[in-house]
Amino acid sequence: MRGRRGTGAGGRRTGIALCGVLLLAACGPATEDTGSAAQTPVQAAKAPAQRPVPQGDGSKVADDFNGDGHRDLVLNDLVKDQLHTDDAGIGVVYGSPAGLVPGARQLLSPARQAARTKGQLPAVFDAEASCDLDGDGFTDLVVSTDPPYDGLGQPPVPLQLLFGSPNGLTGRAVTLVIPAKARAGNDWPDQPVCGDFDGDGAQDLVVHASEQQLSYLRGPFTRKGAPSKAGAPILAPGNVPTGPAADVNRDGYDDLVVRTADGTAKSAVVLGGPQGPTRTGTVLPEGIDVALGRFGKGRDLDAAVGAMGETSLRYDLPDATAGTLDSPGSMLATGDFDGDGRDELLSSGSQLRVFRAPTAAAGISAAGMVTVAPPAKGTTRVLTVGDFDGDGRADLAVRTYRGETWDEVTVHPGVKGSLVAAEPSVTFSSSEFL
């Protein structure tokens, strides 16, 4: 049986962000080290006072769990004072007209929010994907768990759904229902990707089935976790569906990237249609990460492949390569940081750098490159790219680990002209959730 895999909303995942058009969840991948983690303990500053979660009445904003029209932030792998303990859970920081409010925070723990499987609560509780699965105007969260399994036959479904509400993510999760006819083999059905793959306006889910097969679950979903429809598994060019999804060719159907394996591997764009994501489009070369964005003046999205050797291969979809770009890292994300309607490419490795297109006709290049310096020494990870303050420009959220029990999360606003602000607009630690 294939080993379990999980990316997590606060961990590495392919970046797709079209600000003002597609504000999708968890765009940013994790980066490599930007320095040695602090060797001495770091004293935590006093956490901001806990504030109530603002109440909303529904919106179409991505990652808006309380439906107030402002984007929220999800964090996995919360740091804690005591090491080697069970998973602390998932942290959520809620947004406001001015951006994220660290005081309006919420801890989602297995003990309080997880569903039981065979009478047992899971020890692992990691955010994987987010979208409005039941169409009520409140973003929902797809969570991965570790249900009990005896190693015989098909394992239980490890994915659970937490539904958004005017008060945010409340109540117990429910286990995602994957009908038997939509499953294949004895693999864990994981790697969830949200998207409207059949163009009916409802959010669907794609998860790994086994080998090169995917389970395609059509939305909307019920509050018991069941899809509206699900057929037999569909064939795919790989076994690792990767999100977030986007409409690459502007035909009204969301598409996704499917990788042949974790790590360095080939991948392909799988195109949506009336029957869902069943058509293989552009096949991309081997790399460690893939990001989609509109880098030039073309109508379709483009792709950037983060190759080893700190070089990115840029592709004009749907057919040919457009060249290479020397970059300090192979982990990629995209976002419209200056609000001009075209995406910049974020390359993260030994440094965080943002590459822009110098003209509408040109693709991304080293011209006008901006280096983003995290405010704290340590190991830096990119959390996500998204518009947190509602100004139409993407913002960059990063986390710097300053020690085993302390980190610093910062949000750098997108700025017209200079792309990303040097000084963060928001700073807090994930230890404040505990």
Side-chain angles (χ1 to χ4, degrees):
M1 182 176 71
R2 184 178 57 92
R4 292 259 337 261
R5 296 173 300 217
T7 55
R12 192 213 69 80
R13 57 175 53 191
T14 299
I16 307 172
L18 293 177
C19 290
V21 182
L22 292 172
L23 289 176
L24 300 181
C27 303
T31 72
E32 299 163 11
D33 290 358
T34 58
S36 299
Q39 299 301 310
T40 57
V42 179
Q43 289 296 112
K46 185 178 180 180
Q50 185 82 44
R51 298 175 57 174
V53 174
Q55 286 198 337
D57 55 8
S59 82
K60 293 185 178 180
V61 173
D63 283 354
D64 184 8
F65 304 107
N66 58 336
D68 66 347
H70 309 295
R71 186 175 180 132
D72 311 317
L73 178 67
V74 179
L75 293 163
N76 283 324
D77 304 319
L78 307 178
V79 298
K80 45 190 178 292
D81 292 336
Q82 296 181 350
L83 302 179
H84 311 299
T85 59
D86 288 341
D87 187 353
I90 302 164
V92 181
V93 179
Y94 287 87
S96 74
L100 295 176
V101 180
R105 60 186 183 270
Q106 179 184 24
L107 175 64
L108 307 172
S109 69
R112 289 192 296 267
Q113 273 81 31
R116 293 180 179 271
T117 301
K118 297 182 179 179
Q120 297 185 35
L121 285 173
V124 173
F125 208 56
D126 288 330
E128 293 286 343
S130 58
C131 57
D132 185 1
L133 290 169
D134 59 354
D136 64 352
F138 302 92
T139 303
D140 310 310
L141 191 64
V142 185
V143 178
S144 64
T145 67
D146 60 340
Y149 177 53
D150 61 8
L152 302 175
Q154 286 191 337
V157 174
L159 301 175
Q160 298 186 4
L161 307 181
L162 273 169
F163 290 97
S165 75
N167 295 310
L169 294 165
T170 60
R172 285 277 177 185
V174 298
T175 300
L176 174 66
V177 176
I178 303 180
K181 63 181 178 182
R183 296 191 63 176
N186 294 331
D187 285 2
W188 291 95
D190 57 6
Q191 302 292 123
V193 178
C194 291
D196 181 10
F197 301 108
D198 58 4
D200 67 351
Q203 288 291 305
D204 313 315
L205 277 178
V206 167
V207 301
H208 169 82
S210 67
E211 300 300 331
Q212 292 181 289
Q213 298 180 88
L214 305 176
S215 295
Y216 170 48
L217 312 175
R218 297 189 187 225
F221 288 72
T222 70
R223 283 300 182 108
K224 293 184 178 181
S228 61
K229 294 180 182 179
I234 57 179
L235 296 177
N239 65 0
V240 188
T242 304
D247 186 358
V248 170
N249 53 3
R250 298 296 186 223
D251 62 354
Y253 306 99
D254 278 345
D255 315 306
L256 75 157
V257 173
V258 176
R259 298 171 59 77
T260 56
D262 285 318
T264 302
K266 292 183 178 180
S267 59
V269 177
V270 176
L271 302 173
Q275 303 307 314
T278 59
R279 300 172 294 149
T280 298
T282 304
V283 176
L284 300 170
E286 187 173 274
I288 199 169
D289 199 17
V290 179
L292 302 177
R294 186 179 294 113
F295 303 128
K297 66 177 182 178
R299 185 170 177 267
D300 294 345
L301 298 188
D302 305 309
V305 179
M308 299 300 291
E310 299 188 341
T311 299
S312 296
L313 307 174
R314 202 200 109 214
Y315 273 68
D316 281 333
L317 300 180
D319 42 26
T321 181
T324 62
L325 177 71
D326 291 333
S327 66
S330 54
M331 306 302 291
L332 308 175
T334 64
D336 182 4
F337 293 103
D338 57 2
D340 67 353
R342 290 176 288 121
D343 287 317
E344 286 76 46
L345 178 69
L346 172 66
S347 174
S348 49
S350 57
Q351 292 179 315
L352 306 182
R353 287 182 176 172
V354 180
F355 297 88
R356 75 192 324 166
T359 66
I364 49 175
S365 74
M369 178 189 68
V370 174
T371 299
V372 182
K377 293 182 179 180
T379 301
T380 298
R381 300 282 188 264
V382 174
L383 289 171
T384 191
V385 175
D387 184 5
F388 290 105
D389 53 16
D391 65 355
R393 294 188 289 266
D395 308 313
L396 173 62
V398 301
R399 185 199 310 206
T400 301
Y401 293 88
R402 302 188 64 189
E404 292 181 311
T405 61
W406 180 246
D407 65 358
E408 194 165 89
V409 177
T410 57
V411 178
H412 297 259
V415 179
K416 187 175 182 179
S418 56
L419 296 183
V420 179
E423 296 297 324
S425 59
V426 177
T427 301
F428 64 93
S429 173
S430 74
S431 64
E432 297 167 6
F433 290 91
L434 307 179

